[in-house]
Amino acid sequence: MAASRPDPQARLEGTVVVLRELIEKDLPALFTAIGRPEIFAGGWGGGMGAYREDFAQWSEFLRQWLPWQQGNVYAVCLRSLDDRVIGTTTLGDFDLKNESAHIGWTAYSPDVWGSGVNADAKRLLLNTAFTHGFERIRLQADVLNVRSRAAIERIGAQEEGVLRHVQRRADGSWRDTVIYSVLREEWPHVRSVIDERLAGRPADPSYTPSP
């Protein structure tokens, strides 16, 4: 089966979250969820040097940083709260010839950290990628982003190594990037790991975005 890019407008429904195309009118809700310093402190967006407290400046940054044309950019919504936007993630860097893609640009409200949100979102994206013929899905994180690295490792992705000084962070320092992957043949095992996590870690139904 040849790899093909999934329909970016397709709605992906999980047990905890719904992924749908991120659109302009979602940005205020997304800003409430992830326009917070602790998101950038972990390395998202290039680190604290990219943090913008003002919505207009933050949304302009987001329009430039997310791969709108090269990837499927999703709003991550919580099913238990009428599909409220709680984060974003992307399936991108499509290499159809070599059947590879990348899951990244991911951030969730700190209010749902430690819940089933990330596991369910990753399950949806991995399943979509493999059912569209991809062989290898890459995940990665700044070497300093301990939280993101742990989340990737918990779903069963395999660490491949570290790319040193691969790009500059927003503050000008060099970023080392830890590379992980999941192969098609590994997907049944990874899926069972994720399903086991979801069985014991439901999302927090009391999510209330900070003012």
Side-chain angles (χ1 to χ4, degrees):
M1 175 183 178
S4 61
R5 179 177 177 173
D7 179 357
Q9 296 181 331
R11 180 182 172 96
L12 309 179
E13 300 201 23
T15 58
V16 176
V17 300
V18 170
L19 305 185
R20 58 169 176 77
E21 183 181 22
L22 182 67
I23 58 177
E24 184 73 19
K25 71 177 185 179
D26 292 322
L27 296 189
L30 185 62
F31 176 68
T32 299
I34 69 169
R36 297 158 64 170
E38 56 263 52
I39 299 293
F40 290 82
W44 191 80
M48 280 300 295
Y51 173 64
R52 303 289 185 270
E53 185 176 0
D54 174 75
F55 170 72
Q57 293 181 352
W58 177 88
S59 56
E60 182 58 30
F61 155 77
L62 198 73
R63 292 186 187 98
Q64 297 180 28
W65 190 69
L66 292 179
W68 302 93
Q69 302 302 319
Q70 295 76 33
N72 292 9
V73 181
Y74 295 99
V76 181
C77 307
L78 199 61
R79 294 191 62 158
S80 63
L81 287 177
D82 299 322
D83 292 356
R84 180 175 295 175
V85 177
I86 55 167
T88 184
T89 191
T90 295
L91 180 63
D93 288 350
F94 298 109
D95 182 345
L96 301 184
K97 179 181 178 180
N98 293 304
E99 301 176 353
S100 68
H102 170 205
I103 295 174
W105 300 271
T106 303
Y108 311 111
S109 167
D111 299 289
V112 298
W113 287 355
S115 70
V117 164
N118 182 62
D120 200 30
K122 291 295 191 293
R123 190 189 195 285
L124 288 171
L125 292 177
L126 287 166
N127 186 67
T128 296
F130 289 123
T131 57
H132 280 78
F134 288 91
E135 173 66 21
R136 175 180 181 272
I137 304 302
R138 184 176 87 253
L139 303 96
Q140 63 187 44
D142 188 320
V143 71
L144 300 180
N145 195 336
V146 176
R147 176 180 291 277
S148 289
R149 291 174 59 186
I152 293 170
E153 292 166 5
R154 280 196 297 268
I155 67 168
Q158 297 296 306
E159 182 177 340
E160 296 183 341
V162 178
L163 299 180
R164 300 184 300 165
H165 289 201
V166 67
Q167 66 189 83
R168 288 192 184 274
R169 301 184 181 95
D171 64 2
S173 63
W174 283 106
R175 164 175 162 157
D176 293 349
T177 297
V178 187
I179 304 296
Y180 301 84
S181 67
V182 178
L183 304 181
R184 174 187 296 276
E185 65 195 52
E186 298 167 343
W187 173 228
H189 170 69
V190 171
R191 182 173 56 213
S192 68
V193 170
I194 294 175
D195 287 346
E196 186 173 329
R197 288 187 56 78
L198 286 171
R201 299 291 294 275
D204 180 3
S206 64
Y207 167 71
T208 301
S210 300

